[in-house]
Amino acid sequence: MSKKVFLSGVQPSGKPHIGNYFGALKQFVDLQNEHDGYVFIADYHALHSLRNAKEMKKNIISVLLDYLAIGLDPEKVTFFKQSDISEHTELAWIFDTITTMPYLMRAHAFKDAEAKNKEIDVGTFNYPVLMAADILLYAPDVVPVGADQKQHVEIARDIAEKFNHTYGETFKLPEPMIVKDVAVVLGTDGKKMSKSYGNTIPLFASYDEIKKCVMGIVTDSGGGIPQNVYAIHNLLRPASELLPLYESKAGKYKELKEMLIEDLEKFIAPLRTRRKEFEKDIPKALKILKEGSGKAKKIASLKMKEIREKIGVKVY
Ligand code: TRP
């Protein structure tokens, strides 16, 4: 039997935090041994919020190094850049013609964006359509994503069904895949860990940064188990080890925080070292990405030929 296929994309939007890692990134590394994989840098998606060429370039390279550092293996996973494969935007247009506005207006991300700003750009509105094209070109079985992206994968399924219904069987329906235990990683203030709340622990944090983040964790004054400290610690150690420890040190917040700092350092230090190694040879990292894009291009262009035939624009 052939291996199952997974695919996921990541926006080049700055430094990842441990919430991103446990909620999504780690899955790619776990999946790469049993699956054929596609992971790509969604730079065209990021354009809707990042309008600075220098920053864009910097972020693309940064995310490339992040992924190599966490152990994504380009021998096992096709690791590429969205903007290298023009078929994504081409297919998004075709999908635009079979997707209605009222349907897209029901998306959570659109509603959130609209609540903040009425002057939404068409790219933000269309975001799920481009994402559907990203996914469907490569016929993945599963799409590992954070919980916030589940609806986007469902939209991709709906678009695939609509296309199949209109033009004949062309696309496989993908399944979203969300790690249940860590669908939401809590930040240092007990709210969802998110850059916009400023409550994150960076994935490649220095020892001093780790210390600062952990010491800043908000604890209640009840004297029991500090839930916010525990929730983060639980990402690194199973409850069976952690609970007895926390029970025996109930109320000793400082000591528990110090233990968390040491465990975080143990987990982060090797990642930090690997990232520094890749950072020394950026042309080599870029070559890896370019080769990945070459592989992806072959698959996407073959699929696009089939699609052009299906919709009837292929006359020679
Ligand atoms: N929207 C995703 C995010 O912000 C990134 C993304 C773009 C993606 N295209 C994708 C994820 C295709 C999975 C599949 O996290």
Side-chain angles (χ1 to χ4, degrees):
M1 222 182 75
S2 65
K3 282 187 182 171
K4 294 228 177 207
V5 177
F6 82 91
L7 171 141
S8 198
V10 58
Q11 288 195 54
S13 53
K15 285 190 192 172
H17 53 72
I18 62 168
N20 300 134
Y21 180 78
F22 287 102
L25 313 192
K26 180 176 180 292
Q27 296 185 74
F28 308 160
V29 181
D30 293 344
L31 284 167
Q32 68 184 355
N33 296 316
E34 312 292 329
H35 290 66
D36 285 327
Y38 295 92
V39 173
F40 66 93
I41 301 175
D43 50 355
Y44 274 166
H45 268 118
L47 262 185
H48 79 88
S49 58
L50 181 54
R51 294 174 182 151
N52 176 310
K54 243 188 174 163
E55 187 106 342
M56 177 67 92
K57 236 184 210 169
K58 196 179 97 206
N59 284 3
I60 290 172
I61 291 171
S62 176
V63 91
L64 168 64
L65 298 174
D66 293 344
Y67 274 74
L68 294 173
I70 63 167
L72 197 74
D73 181 351
E75 297 287 324
K76 296 178 182 160
V77 171
T78 304
F79 185 27
F80 67 100
K81 182 157 73 64
Q82 185 185 35
S83 63
D84 287 345
I85 320 292
S86 50
E87 283 79 357
H88 289 226
T89 43
E90 183 179 357
L91 182 57
W93 170 257
I94 295 169
F95 287 163
D96 274 346
T97 65
I98 58 166
T99 307
T100 71
M101 290 185 41
Y103 174 78
L104 288 181
M105 281 159 111
R106 288 198 291 273
H108 305 313
F110 168 75
K111 286 195 214 156
D112 291 351
E114 201 190 28
K116 282 189 206 137
N117 173 14
K118 291 271 168 219
E119 300 271 311
I120 292 179
D121 55 274
V122 178
T124 299
F125 182 61
N126 258 0
Y127 187 105
V129 182
L130 179 57
M131 189 157 154
D134 296 338
I135 296 170
L136 297 172
L137 275 172
Y138 303 91
D141 298 285
V142 288
V143 182
V145 281
D148 62 323
Q149 296 294 315
K150 182 164 179 259
Q151 193 187 35
H152 286 151
V153 181
E154 285 160 0
I155 294 175
R157 282 174 70 91
D158 286 347
I159 292 178
E161 274 189 308
K162 180 89 179 270
F163 188 99
N164 288 349
H165 183 74
T166 310
Y167 294 109
E169 201 58 31
T170 309
F171 296 112
K172 173 143 105 194
L173 304 193
E175 294 284 346
M177 182 180 181
I178 289 147
V179 195
K180 291 228 167 35
D181 304 347
V182 289
V184 175
V185 175
L186 299 181
T188 51
D189 58 358
K191 282 199 284 188
K192 178 182 181 260
M193 190 178 286
S194 162
K195 222 178 294 165
S196 52
Y197 296 147
N199 62 358
T200 67
I201 299 176
L203 182 58
F204 298 98
S206 66
Y207 185 65
D208 285 345
E209 269 179 289
I210 296 173
K211 242 166 126 175
K212 203 169 144 234
C213 292
V214 172
M215 285 308 171
I217 295 178
V218 182
T219 47
D220 54 36
S221 50
I225 290 180
Q227 292 303 331
N228 295 350
V229 182
Y230 180 85
I232 294 171
H233 216 154
N234 195 209
L235 297 168
L236 306 170
R237 285 217 233 172
S240 56
E241 269 180 40
L242 218 51
L243 258 183
L245 198 70
Y246 271 65
E247 272 159 7
S248 72
K249 297 201 181 292
K252 298 186 175 147
Y253 294 168
K254 184 150 177 283
E255 227 177 292
L256 289 168
K257 280 184 173 180
E258 277 162 2
M259 275 171 12
L260 174 58
I261 290 170
E262 293 317 309
D263 280 348
L264 277 168
E265 171 65 9
K266 249 187 253 158
F267 159 67
I268 289 177
L271 296 177
R272 230 167 34 212
T273 309
R274 273 177 62 89
R275 198 180 186 288
K276 286 222 175 80
E277 279 304 307
F278 283 110
E279 221 177 303
K280 281 188 203 146
D281 195 349
I282 289 176
K284 184 173 149 209
L286 287 172
K287 190 162 163 261
I288 291 173
L289 190 63
K290 201 169 173 187
E291 279 170 11
S293 286
K295 283 191 219 163
K297 179 80 185 175
K298 284 200 187 109
I299 291 161
S301 64
L302 203 67
K303 188 71 189 174
M304 207 56 224
K305 258 194 199 137
E306 179 195 342
I307 296 161
R308 289 200 199 100
E309 206 154 322
K310 288 268 168 67
I311 62 174
V313 298
K314 191 167 181 298
V315 292
Y316 22 68

